[in-house]
Amino acid sequence: MFKSAFGSLIVLTGAITLLFSCSVNEEAETTGATETFTEADLPHWVIEPETLIAETEDYMPGRIDNLRVMPDGSIIILDRTPVSIHQFDASGQWVKQVTREGSGPGELEQWSQLRHTPDGFAVSRMDGSIMMYEAGSDGSFGFARDMNIETEDRQVAFLRKLGADRLLYQRTLSISTMDVGNPDELLPEFRDVTFFVLDETGEVVQDSLIAIRQHSGIIDMGEGGSYIRIYSLPWRFSNSYTFTENGNIIKGDPETGKIITMNANGEEISRDVFRLERREVTAQDIRGALEDMEMPRELHRRAEARIRSHKPAFTRILTDDNNRLWLQTSRDNEDGFTYVVTDMSGNPLGRVELPVNHNLAAVQNGRLFIRYTPDDDLHEVRVASLNL
């Protein structure tokens, strides 16, 4: 089912948010393994996901959008139906509802996003405010404080609190569709986004910390921008990024396989290559993908021009608490997801395959925490053990 693999059709009107451009130097030498490999070359670590969090008298899962595993093992879930945050203990037992939808202190909007802080977690809201949640003496989380950061450009998105007085943001730029005649001007094939750091007063501490390149979809735009439909294309070459427990930043380039490790100041520590053997995209692959996306026939030629001849080395990177990388390498079949596990230099150790609708959210203490998100049933959190 290519539709679920490549993302849903998105309909927008009026305006669309575009990303601010920047550049980054990527000329350093790489280290690590020099031979290519295939997924089939690696040990296949079989896991059996089991339900950890499901429907109970206290909690009815709706649409589990995100989860975070805290250092003490407790689990924080952001649910979007209805919008709410819930806390569970390490065994999956419901502890409390931390907050609900609303406009009051600590309450959520539909757009709210769960974010990381060193002392708990945060939620960013559409009005630019950040809500911090911290654990009390009994270990249960609650609203601690609001932070309404004033910036010169309000079109920014909070991503993460890196440490004391270091708030990581993504810069965006809002452009009206009424002023753009060519859809490719509105959504070019590639866009770059700048990450920058503010302090808690809104002053810039560090501009252009890192740059991330994102691959765009294809736009079907009505006359005068009356409607916009964005189709997410298969085999995207968007840069991936993640963070280690000690605050380092991992950036991955899926086209070249480069894995770049930087410290929290954006200074490069190492550069390695994930040497997965190149996987071709066939004409049959493209035909099947475009048919399943149900886009108008006149868009097919534009879409085909943006689909590369080979698949990306990976589409996502996670880190675990044992200095390993988990690189999602497959997202183009009905069978689910494949993750290649490597050391921090990209040297492969083995692979894990997850069934369809099983989305890896975190790996901690030898356990894989998985969002099970079927379209036609209640969502769950599942867990699987893996001794490495």
Side-chain angles (χ1 to χ4, degrees):
M1 298 181 180
F2 283 93
K3 192 180 298 180
S4 62
F6 303 137
S8 303
L9 177 68
I10 304 170
V11 180
L12 302 175
T13 59
I16 183 171
T17 296
L18 295 185
L19 300 176
F20 196 84
S21 296
C22 61
S23 61
V24 65
N25 181 4
E26 295 192 356
E27 300 301 323
E29 293 295 325
T30 58
T31 60
T34 58
E35 295 182 0
T36 61
F37 64 92
T38 68
E39 292 175 356
D41 295 331
L42 305 177
H44 178 200
W45 298 328
V46 179
I47 62 169
E48 298 181 0
E50 299 178 352
T51 297
L52 180 68
I53 297 172
E55 178 184 355
T56 65
E57 292 182 359
D58 298 307
Y59 174 62
M60 171 72 77
R63 184 162 65 93
I64 297 176
D65 183 74
N66 202 347
L67 71 85
R68 183 169 177 232
V69 183
M70 309 304 292
D72 66 354
S74 60
I75 302 162
I76 304 297
I77 286 179
L78 173 62
D79 200 321
R80 294 207 177 277
T81 311
V83 182
S84 54
I85 291 177
H86 296 261
Q87 179 180 352
F88 300 81
D89 65 20
S91 67
Q93 296 297 307
W94 184 83
V95 175
K96 65 181 290 190
Q97 180 172 323
V98 179
T99 190
R100 63 183 181 181
E101 185 171 7
S103 57
E107 294 181 336
L108 308 177
E109 297 173 337
Q110 186 67 40
W111 180 85
S112 300
Q113 298 289 327
L114 186 65
R115 301 302 189 188
H116 171 91
T117 71
D119 302 320
F121 62 92
V123 171
S124 57
R125 297 177 64 173
M126 190 71 106
D127 63 4
S129 63
I130 309 164
M131 299 177 294
M132 302 291 185
Y133 299 81
E134 297 176 0
S137 58
D138 62 352
S140 66
F141 283 85
F143 173 64
R145 60 190 174 115
D146 260 326
M147 295 176 58
N148 194 6
I149 302 297
E150 296 290 339
T151 65
E152 292 183 5
D153 178 5
R154 296 291 294 181
Q155 300 299 323
V156 297
F158 172 71
L159 297 177
R160 186 180 180 91
K161 185 173 183 181
L162 298 174
D165 225 24
R166 287 181 62 83
L167 307 175
L168 185 64
Y169 279 81
Q170 168 181 312
R171 191 189 309 277
T172 61
L173 177 64
S174 183
I175 297 179
S176 171
T177 62
M178 303 299 292
D179 300 329
V180 180
N182 182 350
D184 288 336
E185 294 176 8
L186 186 66
L187 199 66
E189 181 175 4
F190 288 102
R191 302 171 295 170
D192 293 327
V193 53
T194 306
F195 291 1
F196 65 101
V197 180
L198 299 180
D199 63 20
E200 295 189 3
T201 70
E203 292 295 322
V204 175
V205 174
Q206 191 170 0
D207 202 2
S208 301
L209 181 73
I210 61 173
I212 299 294
R213 168 161 283 196
Q214 295 184 338
H215 189 286
S216 302
I218 286 291
I219 282 187
D220 177 22
M221 185 167 67
E223 184 177 353
S226 58
Y227 71 86
I228 295 177
R229 297 185 181 93
I230 303 178
Y231 298 84
S232 181
L233 295 175
W235 308 298
R236 292 159 60 94
F237 284 84
S238 297
N239 291 159
S240 298
Y241 69 93
T242 188
F243 299 87
T244 65
E245 286 200 329
N246 64 3
N248 286 342
I249 305 167
I250 307 291
K251 173 185 172 181
D253 180 351
E255 185 161 18
T256 63
K258 290 180 181 177
I259 300 172
I260 304 164
T261 302
M262 295 165 281
N263 63 24
N265 295 319
E267 298 164 339
E268 188 169 315
I269 298 172
S270 64
R271 181 176 295 237
D272 303 285
V273 177
F274 177 69
R275 299 184 184 276
L276 182 67
E277 187 173 279
R278 185 168 169 140
R279 300 167 297 162
E280 302 301 320
V281 176
T282 67
Q284 183 177 355
D285 288 336
I286 294 176
R287 284 195 302 271
L290 297 182
E291 288 173 3
D292 280 349
M293 290 168 68
E294 299 179 355
M295 66 166 54
R297 292 289 303 176
E298 60 269 20
L299 294 186
H300 281 206
R301 182 172 298 178
R302 286 176 54 214
E304 287 184 32
R306 291 192 177 188
I307 296 176
R308 299 301 182 90
S309 62
H310 63 286
K311 300 174 183 179
F314 49 82
T315 55
R316 184 174 174 232
I317 300 179
L318 289 85
T319 56
D320 64 18
D321 55 350
N322 280 295
N323 291 320
R324 289 184 294 254
L325 301 177
W326 294 67
L327 295 103
Q328 183 178 296
T329 62
S330 299
R331 204 183 165 123
D332 52 34
N333 58 61
E334 298 183 17
D335 300 323
F337 302 87
T338 301
Y339 286 86
V340 172
V341 185
T342 76
D343 62 20
M344 296 300 287
S345 296
N347 300 305
L349 305 173
R351 78 181 194 275
V352 170
E353 296 177 358
L354 297 184
V356 67
N357 297 325
H358 287 66
N359 307 282
L360 185 61
V363 182
Q364 185 170 309
N365 298 325
R367 298 202 297 174
L368 283 66
F369 294 86
I370 299 161
R371 293 185 302 112
Y372 174 57
T373 57
D375 293 330
D376 56 355
D377 201 357
L378 291 177
H379 288 194
E380 295 181 355
V381 174
R382 297 183 173 180
V383 66
S385 297
L386 184 64
N387 295 319
L388 299 181

